[in-house]
């Protein structure tokens, strides 16, 4: 009787194990089916929205100059929303597809900025107090103030682009109430520290010498050009760096960064801390778990099996570990 009971118990356990395996397999199939359904829906929705942006871009050559700024604002908004749509769908998108879709969004954003440079007339690099409200005395140096000189800037800028221009030996800062989802520019700065505690739409950094730049998350792209001997701490979806030398970039980037015509560029992981940083990351929709800080593409280096000599990973012993003291003082 005991042997028969033991055999029955053993068979019962086996049946229970088989049933459990079948149930697990069934749940796994259901999860795969749900993921496939989600991806199918996402793919269709993404196609419609990306084609809409392409259509908006194709209209640009046919539009009157006076309506172009608003048209470009609409395109940027649509592209940013599409990027957020991709990022918030990361829980069911395969990594390969995630990169593919983000790459398409990046191309649309780049095309938008290239067309804007071509078609939008030159503007003064300055803004009224109404457009950039002040919160403390340091902001007196921001480029929104009109110095009365009447000089027209030599570069083209969007009328909503703001930040700091032509400063030396200054500590400059902006907070999230002014920065949120705006296009921000830092230009022609020397021996300055710039603190940007907030969420930006894009960040343009041009012609900086011996500066420290500390930023919260940037929803889309950071563009760095003609910078020398700078330390830049930033988080973004895309990094494009041109014609810069001897710069250390403490980086969080969710796609592969791009360098071109650069030399002596060193990268390290983003290590900035301030009170509302986590909240700002959540607002930006950047993925904290994806960081390609050590995977840059050098457009001047085509050998796939040999590392580019133009950039490298910053040695741990040479990294700045704590930026707290640098919010309030200029570089040495």
């Amino acid at each position: 009787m005991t042997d028969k009971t033991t055999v029955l118990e053993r068979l019962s356990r086996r049946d229970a194990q088989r049933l459990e395996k079948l149930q697990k397999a069934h749940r796994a199939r259901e999860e795969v089916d749900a993921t496939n359904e989600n991806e199918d829906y996402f793919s269709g929705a993404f196609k419609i929205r990306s084609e809409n942006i392409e259509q908006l871009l194709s209209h640009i050559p046919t539009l009157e100059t006076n309506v172009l700024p608003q048209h470009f604002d609409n395109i940027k908004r649509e592209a940013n929303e599409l990027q957020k749509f991709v990022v918030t769908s990361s829980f069911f998108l395969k990594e390969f597809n995630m990169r593919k879709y983000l790459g398409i969004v990046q191309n649309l954003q780049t095309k938008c900025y290239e067309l804007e440079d071509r078609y939008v007339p030159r503007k003064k690099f300055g803004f009224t107090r109404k457009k950039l409200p002040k919160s403390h005395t340091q902001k007196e140096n921001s480029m929104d103030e009109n110095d009365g000189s009447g000089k027209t800037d030599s570069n083209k800028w969007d009328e909503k682009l703001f930040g700091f221009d032509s400063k030396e030996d200054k500590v400059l800062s902006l907070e999230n109430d002014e920065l949120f989802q705006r296009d921000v520019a830092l230009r022609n700065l020397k021996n300055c520290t710039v603190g940007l505690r907030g969420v930006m739409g894009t960040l343009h950094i041009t012609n900086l010498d011996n500066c420290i730049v500390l930023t919260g998350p940037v929803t889309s792209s950071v563009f760095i050009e003609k910078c020398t001997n700078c330390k830049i701490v930033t988080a973004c979806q895309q990094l494009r760096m041109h014609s810069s030398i001897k710069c250390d970039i403490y980086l969080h980037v969710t796609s592969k960064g791009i360098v071109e015509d650069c030399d002596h560029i060193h990268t390290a992981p983003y290590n900035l801390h301030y009170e509302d940083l986590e909240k700002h990351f959540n607002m930006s929709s950047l993925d904290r778990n994806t960081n390609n800080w050590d995977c840059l593409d050098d457009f001047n280096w085509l050998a796939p099996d040999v590392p580019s000599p133009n950039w490298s990973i910053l040695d741990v012993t040479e990294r700045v570990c704590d930026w707290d003291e640098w919010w309030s003082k200029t570089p040495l």
Side-chain angles (χ1 to χ4, degrees), residues 8-59:
L8 289 172
E9 289 176 350
R10 194 159 54 241
L11 289 172
S12 179
R13 282 198 300 271
R14 286 179 183 175
D15 287 340
Q17 289 170 351
R18 287 195 191 99
L19 180 60
E20 185 179 358
K21 286 182 180 179
L22 287 171
Q23 289 173 337
K24 284 183 178 178
H26 180 68
R27 286 196 298 269
R29 280 197 300 273
E30 287 182 335
E31 289 173 3
V32 169
D33 290 342
T35 297
N36 289 339
E37 286 180 10
N38 285 333
E39 287 214 38
D40 289 343
Y41 167 78
F42 175 89
S43 178
F46 182 91
K47 185 173 186 292
I48 292 170
R49 296 172 72 168
S50 61
E51 286 177 350
N52 177 57
I53 295 172
E54 287 281 9
Q55 190 172 26
L56 292 173
L57 290 168
S58 70
H59 291 162

Side-chain angles (χ1 to χ4, degrees), residues 163-181:
F164 300 103
D165 180 30
S166 301
K167 305 296 177 186
E168 186 170 347
D169 300 318
K170 300 290 184 182
V171 175
L172 309 164
S173 66
L174 291 168
E175 301 295 329
N176 193 54
D177 58 343
E178 298 152 313
L179 292 169
F180 185 68
Q181 292 297 359

Side-chain angles (χ1 to χ4, degrees), residues 62-72 119-121 123 159:
T62 68
L63 297 177
E64 296 292 333
T65 302
N66 63 325
V67 302
L68 281 173
Q70 183 61 48
H71 189 72
F72 278 112
Y119 287 99
V120 174
K123 293 181 179 291
E159 63 180 357

